[in-house]
Structures are given as C-alpha cells and as structure tokens.
C-alpha cells in the first residue's frame, strides 16, 4: 500500500512524481487508483526534435574541430578592427580585429564545457543527496531537505559571484583556473535544485511494491537506491538536466557581463557578448551573433527536455 503523505510537502512532492510507462504485467497487478496506465505507443520525435539534435551536434562538432579549419580566435589585427562581414570573415571582426565567426565557434567549446561540467557536478552531488533523502526519509531527509531549502533561499547569482570573486579574480589567475571555478560555482548553485527534484521523484518510488518486496527480502539499502530508485527517476533527471544546461549557458553570459566570465582573449559566448556591449552601435554583430547562438542552443535544449518529458510521461516537477 502506498504510504499516506504525512505533510503538505510530501503531498506536493508525490503529486510531482513521474509517471512511467508500465508493462502488461504491471497493469495486471495494479492495486489501486493511483497505479500507472500502460503507454504502449510513443509518437515519433518530430522535425523539431531532429532540428534541435542537429543544431547541438553541429555546434559541438564545429567547436571541437574549429582549430583545424578556422583562424586563431585570439589573433588580433588592428587593421581589421570593426570591419564588417566579408569573404575573409563572414561575420566581420571585433573591436581589436579578431575574426568574430572563429571566436563564436571556438567560444562554443568553453561555454558548453562550463555549462555541461557545472550541471554534471550538480547532478552527481545533488542527485545522490536527493535519492538518499527521498529513499531513506526519516532523519536523513530531516537533515538534507532543510539544507536544500536554505541553499535555494540564498541568491544564486550572488553566490556564484562570491565564489568566482574569491577564488579566481586575481590578475595572476590563469584562464584554466577561471574556467574550473566558473564550472564549480555554477555546479554548486545547481546542487539544491537538482537535489529537490530528485527527492520529489524518488518519494513516488520509495513505497512501490517492488521496492518494498526488495526490502522484505533483505536487500541492502543502497542497492534499493541504485537498482530500484535511480532507474525510475532517470527520465525526469534527463529532462531537467537539459533545461539546467540551458540555464547554465545563460548564467555564464550573465557572469561575463559582470566581468567574471572566461578571461579574454580566450573566447566564450558570454565574454564575446559582454565585449560587444560598448561596441553595439559600431559593431552590432558582436552582440547579435552570440545572442542568436545562445538563443538557438538554449531553445534546442529546452525543446529536447520537453520531448523527453512527454516520451517518458514525466509530470511537471517542482521547479
């Protein structure tokens, strides 16, 4: 029997739980009105999903192989400063004569590395803590859930600014150190959100019959977490991960506007956009081009997140 929610928080989070497609056996053994309805047919991905996948694939591959077919994105030539698009530079040059298209493609690499790395940190730490809180409940949940709430209450951008300012804002700090600190800072602010969402979805599975049966047979607690809990919350985590990567891309651009993005001359979409702010009237492409790249990338990630949500019947979570 499913456990009756003991608080408003449990009620909300169990209502936000994912609904998974079940097998015929599952449907035959359904024991209550809250059991799942099998979904045997899934709609094809559709043109939007394939366009999103294509965009992300092209951007990723182009950023990896850019050094093989594009000019050095850090090479400045004052003679070309602020020149418009031409055959030699299809998007023109920036304020110091660097090829803007080369900087955008090469900058995609560092923007994606920071965003994906940050969410990987948040997913690893937050996901494990959320699984533990939702599966074990009791004292574990009593300690972890208030911690998640406290971290979510702290202004996220302020926390990221604080971390980057303290650990990677010195004149002697290298580009690599700044990138690592940016990744860690964005990962830390993602931990409580991803943990809360994982906990909310784990709560729905912790009292299912197959989990209770495993416990009754003497299965070790962490076996239940990873073998029974984790596979069932993965669809929801995949969907929110794609959305979170998009948020991290925008956050990196926001930090760059405040002077705490990737250090120049190493390109990222954020610092290209920030450098274009004072040049908006003279070189509008410095703002327009990175904005378009960020827009289509974030939109593609959000669209694919929605596709995963629909294909796996994941309900809206507590965002």
């Amino acid at each position: 029997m499913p456990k009756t929610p003991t608080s408003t928080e449990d009620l909300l989070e169990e209502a936000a739980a994912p609904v998974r497609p079940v097998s015929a056996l599952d449907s035959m053994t359904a024991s209550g009105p809250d059991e799942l309805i099998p979904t045997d047919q899934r709609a094809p991905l559709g043109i939007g999903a394939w366009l999103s996948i294509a965009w992300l694939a092209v951007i990723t591959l182009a950023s990896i192989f850019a050094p093989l077919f594009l000019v050095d994105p850090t090479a400045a030539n004052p003679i070309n400063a602020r020149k418009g698009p031409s055959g030699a530079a299809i998007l023109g040059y920036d304020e110091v004569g660097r090829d803007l298209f080369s900087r955008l493609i090469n900058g995609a690499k560092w923007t994606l590395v920071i965003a994906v790395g940050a969410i990987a940190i948040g997913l690893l730490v937050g996901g494990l803590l959320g699984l533990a809180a939702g599966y074990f409940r009791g004292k574990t949940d009593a300690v972890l859930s208030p911690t998640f709430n406290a971290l979510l209450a702290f202004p996220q951008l302020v926390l990221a600014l604080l971390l980057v300012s303290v650990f990677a804002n010195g004149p002697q700090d290298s580009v690599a150190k700044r990138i690592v600190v940016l990744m860690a800072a964005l990962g830390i602010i993602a931990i409580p959100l991803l943990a809360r969402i994982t906990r909310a979805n784990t709560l729905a599975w912790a009292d299912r019959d197959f989990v209770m049966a495993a416990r009754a047979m003497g299965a070790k607690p962490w076996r239940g977490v990873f073998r029974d809990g984790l596979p069932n919350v993965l669809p929801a985590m995949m969907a929110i991960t794609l959305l979170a990567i998009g948020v991290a891309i925008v956050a990196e651009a926001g930090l760059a506007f405040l002077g705490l993005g990737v250090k120049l001359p190493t390109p990222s979409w954020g610092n290209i956009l920030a450098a274009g702010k004072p040049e908006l009237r003279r070189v509008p492409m410095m703002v327009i081009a990175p904005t378009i790249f960020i827009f289509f990338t974030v939109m593609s990630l959000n669209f694919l997140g929605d596709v995963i949500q629909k294909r796996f019947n994941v309900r809206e979570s507590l965002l």
Side-chain angles (χ1 to χ4, degrees), residues 140-314:
T140 303
D141 191 28
V143 172
L144 292 177
S145 287
T147 303
F148 301 154
N149 294 335
L151 290 174
L152 284 172
F154 197 90
Q156 304 297 291
L157 185 59
V158 173
L159 179 58
L161 284 170
L162 178 64
L163 292 172
V164 179
S165 298
V166 170
F167 294 106
N169 197 32
Q172 303 302 321
D173 290 330
S174 65
V175 172
K177 182 179 179 180
R178 174 67 67 85
I179 290 172
V180 170
V181 172
L182 278 169
M183 195 184 306
L186 294 177
I188 289 171
I189 66 177
I191 286 173
L193 174 61
L194 294 173
R196 286 283 296 175
I197 293 172
T198 306
R199 174 187 178 274
N201 286 278
T202 305
L203 285 172
W205 297 100
D207 293 322
R208 294 280 177 176
D209 290 342
F210 65 92
V211 178
M212 299 298 290
R215 288 175 175 172
M217 294 173 64
K220 294 181 179 179
W222 283 105
R223 173 197 177 278
V225 171
F226 289 108
R227 185 168 179 176
D228 299 325
L230 182 60
N232 289 298
V233 302
L234 272 180
M237 296 310 299
M238 289 168 60
I240 195 60
T241 294
L242 292 175
L243 300 178
I245 291 173
V247 173
I249 290 174
V250 176
E252 186 272 330
L255 289 172
F257 257 92
L258 297 173
L260 294 173
V262 177
K263 281 191 170 184
L264 294 171
T266 301
S268 75
W269 289 345
N271 66 21
I272 295 171
L273 191 58
K277 180 182 176 182
E279 303 288 337
L280 181 58
R281 291 183 179 275
R282 290 176 291 184
V283 194
M285 195 58 69
M286 287 183 65
V287 174
I288 295 172
T291 300
I292 291 174
F293 274 64
I294 291 173
F295 172 79
F296 279 111
T297 302
V298 174
M299 185 177 68
S300 297
L301 291 166
N302 290 347
F303 192 89
L304 289 177
D306 289 342
V307 169
I308 292 175
Q309 183 185 73
K310 291 175 182 177
R311 285 180 68 82
F312 289 94
N313 292 330
V314 179

Side-chain angles (χ1 to χ4, degrees), residues 18-92:
V19 179
R20 69 175 176 92
V22 296
S23 65
L25 180 60
D26 289 328
S27 61
M28 291 173 62
T29 58
S31 58
D34 64 334
E35 292 296 333
L36 306 178
I37 299 173
T39 302
D40 297 326
Q41 296 181 350
R42 293 179 180 176
L45 286 179
I47 187 64
W50 286 113
L51 288 175
S52 298
I53 293 171
W55 170 264
L56 295 173
V58 168
I59 288 295
T60 302
L61 292 174
S63 67
I64 292 172
F65 296 106
L68 301 179
F69 61 89
L70 292 177
V71 299
D72 184 355
T74 64
N77 185 353
I79 297 175
N80 293 326
R82 301 184 179 87
K83 285 186 178 180
S86 63
I90 60 175
L91 294 180

